[in-house]
Every structure is written in C-alpha cells, then in structure tokens.
Amino acid sequence: MDLIANINTTLAGLDAQSLTRRRRPVDTACAPRLAVEGSPLLAFCSNDYLGLAAHPALVAALCEGASMYGVGSGASHLISGHSRAHALLEERLAGFVGGHLVSPRALYFCTGYMANLAMLTALGADANAEIFSESLNHASLIDGARLARASVKVTPHADLGALAAQLGASSAGTKLVVTDSVFSMDGEIADLPAMLALCERHGAWLVIDDAHGFGTLGANGRGALEHFGLNSPNLVYMGTLGKAAGVGGAFVAAHASVIELLIQRARPYIYTTAAPPALSHTLLASLDIIGGAEGAGRRAHLNALIAQFRTELRLTRWQHGASETAIQPIIIGSNEEALRAAARLHERGLWVPAIRPPTVPVGTARLRVTLSAAHTHEEVAQLTAALNELERTPDES
Ligand SMILES: *Cc1c(COP(=O)(O)O)cnc(C)c1O
C-alpha cells in the first residue's frame, strides 16, 4: 500500500497548488456549440481554426477512404503499413509547402508530438550536435531535445542577440535552431526571417514547428513559410494536421536527404504502426479546401473575428496578449483566479480553458481563448461581453 500512498501524496500535492486537471467528455462533434456532460456550451477551446473537423466533405472522404483502404494500416511504414494513401498525401504535402524549400520531400507522422521527437532525435543524434531551443517551445520540442544525444541550450524568448551569441560561440558540427512559429500559449509569431538569417550565417538548421500556422497563415494557407515568403535550404518544417487541417497527424517537409535520414533513422517514425490510411485520404480533401477558395474565405472570416475580439475586449486588471493569431491569451497570473474565471464563464455557458503551469511559466496562468472560422460574430460578441463584465465584477466565491 506504500506504493499507492506515494502516488496519492503526489496527487494531493497537485491539488493543493490548484494544478489538478480534469477531462470533460464531449458528446457531440468538434464545433463551437457542444454538448458536454449534459449541458450545452459555446466553446472557445479547440485548435480547429478553420472549422474543418466536422466538415461534411471530410466526413464523406473518411467514409470513402475506409471503403477503399479499410480501417487499420496493419503494420509500420517500413514493413507493410505504408499505403498508397500515405504516399499520395506525402506528394501533395511536398508540393503544398515545397515552394519554400530546396529539393522538397514530405513525411507523414501519426502525431505532431512524434514528428518533433523524430526530427530532433534524428538530426541531433550526434553528441557533437547542439540544439538551440526557444524558451517558449512546445513540450514536444522540449522532449525531443531531451531525447536527442545533442547538447541543448535554451534561448531566451525572442532574444535574437542571445541566439546570435550562442551560435557564434558554438563549435558544434551540427547546429539546430528550434522554434514554434506561432507560440501555442501566447499566439505570438516568431521572427522567423531574422532567425533564418542567423542560421544561414552560422551554418545552422532552422527547425520550425508550424502547428498553429499551417492552414491559417499565408494567402493560400501554406503556413508560416508562405506568411514570411521564406525560402532556404536550411529549413526543416513541421506542420500538424489535427488543428487547422481538422483531421490528425503531422508532417515534416525538408530537403529530400533530411527526409531520407528520418525514414532510415527516426525511431518515432520506424517503431510505430502507420496511421489509418483513410486519414491520409481524408487529408487530401482537407488540403483541397485549405488551398482553395473556401479556405481563403474561412481564413478571411477568422481574421475578422480576431480583429473583432481584439477591439471589443477592454481589460483593466488582466492582461491581453499582443497576439494577431487565433490564439488570444488573457493572462491572469494566479492559478486559483484563472480557474475561478474559467468556472464563472462556464456558469454563463462559455467554455474557455484555464492554462496553468507547467504548460505556461509559473505566475502566468491564463485563459486561452481560441477562435475558429466556425464561430459567428455574435458568438464572439457574447464572449467579449462576458469577459469584460467578469473582469470588473468582484468574485464572491
Ligand atoms: C499541438 C502541438 C504539437 C503536437 O501536435 P499533435 O499532432 O497534437 O501531436 C506540437 N507542437 C505544437 C506547437 C503544438 O501546438
């Protein structure tokens, strides 16, 4: 019983710091209007930025994919699990972002988490390699850096001078500068052109995690590389396909030799069962929407909602982050107050998650509002009115 008692002590410690997390089963498809444990909620939580997760064309494509390829892949990619559907998707993805790369090729992964582990462990396999990791990077990049044999330096957030100094001082044979393009808890866009210039000067790779940019940034939704008009042989690009693309999985796009190295060496790619081919088939339909007129219309609506949210929100005590993307953080500070704010929104039928450490730095607990093209202007107005009122009225609880 000591074994269990130890675990319960750990869990009680989390509870004492307001750090216990809870899952809420959602009874309906991913959309702004949900049924959650029996009650209707208007949600501002998902990363379904273009509102594609329950799109009828994608539902139809998934059914078609299942009838063509079945449900499971049956094996890993290097055995017999690599379906024609995976191969077609990889070709499409290479073409979709390849205008920004040299000799582009793409590789599809089951999840973004695994893609990040794969990139950093394969490119940073050598003990003589060095990883320069942005301090606000996503947990999956941090874990990938920990798992790599390379040594790791954390670069202070958005500090290009510090990055230049770190690169200048490094004598590593392989240098990897690693960053989120859109920081997932802040919504801020990294200065990728300046980082790339430094990487080119110092012979370093720039590894970009575009989880929140793919589909939403750029005139054609091709993500952060299109947004900034970047093109370089030093780029290694990771985009996720479970957020704006509405389905699941992720991909790495880079020079064909980088991709070949991942296929040969990356354990998170090699030692796992390939994702269901029907998902790849569905993603082809998702790319049609993202890159076409419908995607452009959805991005325009999303950007109008972001502008509306920023204009209507009038905070005096809490801090509204400077984000121009669909991620709009409201930084409250204490874990308890962030949880209370989320609970009071919930009483009004609004679902906004309270994000606490270790997901964000201690003392910066926040409400993380995410907007989607599936929201209406009326729904965003309902949220801003509730937030403005809550911030002003004292909390009796
Ligand atoms: C969501 C996310 C990931 C992980 O992607 P999954 O496909 O959900 O595993 C990686 N990086 C960032 C920045 C993310 O936001």
Side-chain angles (χ1 to χ4, degrees), residues 47 49 109-116 136-141 179-185 209-212 238-243 248-250 327 368:
N47 303 309
Y49 301 124
F109 285 83
C110 295
T111 73
Y113 189 97
M114 292 168 74
N116 280 345
L136 293 188
N137 275 347
H138 189 261
S140 55
L141 290 173
T179 188
D180 282 15
S181 57
V182 177
F183 293 98
S184 51
M185 296 301 137
D209 176 340
D210 200 25
H212 302 281
M238 197 287 290
T240 61
L241 300 168
K243 290 175 177 159
I327 302 167
R368 178 181 184 263

Side-chain angles (χ1 to χ4, degrees), residues 105-376:
R105 192 177 169 196
L107 189 65
Y108 176 66
F109 285 83
C110 295
T111 73
Y113 189 97
M114 292 168 74
N116 280 345
L117 294 189
M119 281 194 304
L120 297 189
T121 54
L123 289 168
D126 191 338
N128 181 34
E130 201 159 12
I131 292 173
F132 305 90
S133 179
E134 231 289 340
S135 63
L136 293 188
N137 275 347
H138 189 261
S140 55
L141 290 173
I142 296 171
D143 293 355
R146 283 180 184 156
L147 210 54
R149 298 237 165 80
S151 61
V152 181
K153 286 218 158 57
V154 174
T155 309
H157 176 57
D159 190 340
L160 291 164
L163 177 60
Q166 286 175 342
L167 283 169
S170 170
S171 56
T174 302
K175 304 182 185 84
L176 298 166
V177 173
V178 180
T179 188
D180 282 15
S181 57
V182 177
F183 293 98
S184 51
M185 296 301 137
D186 297 77
E188 189 195 330
I189 304 178
D191 188 350
L192 298 177
M195 295 178 90
L196 181 59
L198 282 175
C199 286
E200 288 181 340
R201 189 171 327 139
H202 293 277
W205 294 105
L206 180 60
V207 179
I208 297 174
D209 176 340
D210 200 25
H212 302 281
F214 184 79
T216 63
L217 294 181
N220 300 293
R222 292 172 190 198
L225 301 182
E226 183 183 31
H227 175 78
F228 286 116
L230 301 180
N231 184 296
S232 170
N234 295 46
L235 290 168
V236 178
Y237 178 87
M238 197 287 290
T240 61
L241 300 168
K243 290 175 177 159
V247 184
F251 70 102
V252 176
H255 191 284
S257 297
V258 172
I259 298 303
E260 190 60 28
L261 179 77
L262 296 182
I263 294 170
Q264 301 307 324
R265 284 285 183 73
R267 297 166 68 90
Y269 183 74
I270 298 168
Y271 296 105
T272 194
T273 301
L279 295 183
S280 289
H281 187 74
T282 311
L283 281 161
L284 292 171
S286 173
L287 290 176
D288 286 341
I289 294 175
I290 291 172
E294 184 179 347
R298 283 172 182 261
R299 280 187 293 281
H301 179 57
L302 175 61
N303 286 328
L305 296 176
I306 295 166
Q308 180 196 349
F309 184 80
R310 296 200 62 77
T311 326
E312 288 180 356
L313 197 63
R314 294 186 194 286
L315 300 179
T316 52
R317 215 154 44 82
W318 298 338
Q319 205 191 319
H320 186 190
S323 159
E324 290 160 35
T325 65
I327 302 167
Q328 294 287 325
I330 296 163
I331 296 153
I332 293 180
S334 94
N335 298 343
E336 294 77 13
E337 193 177 353
L339 283 177
R340 272 201 306 276
R344 294 172 78 202
L345 287 170
H346 194 267
E347 286 163 16
R348 290 163 172 75
L350 298 167
W351 191 5
V352 177
I355 309 287
R356 289 157 284 164
T359 309
V360 294
V362 172
T364 70
R366 64 196 67 189
L367 296 172
R368 178 181 184 263
V369 170
T370 50
L371 300 171
S372 162
H375 286 119
T376 64

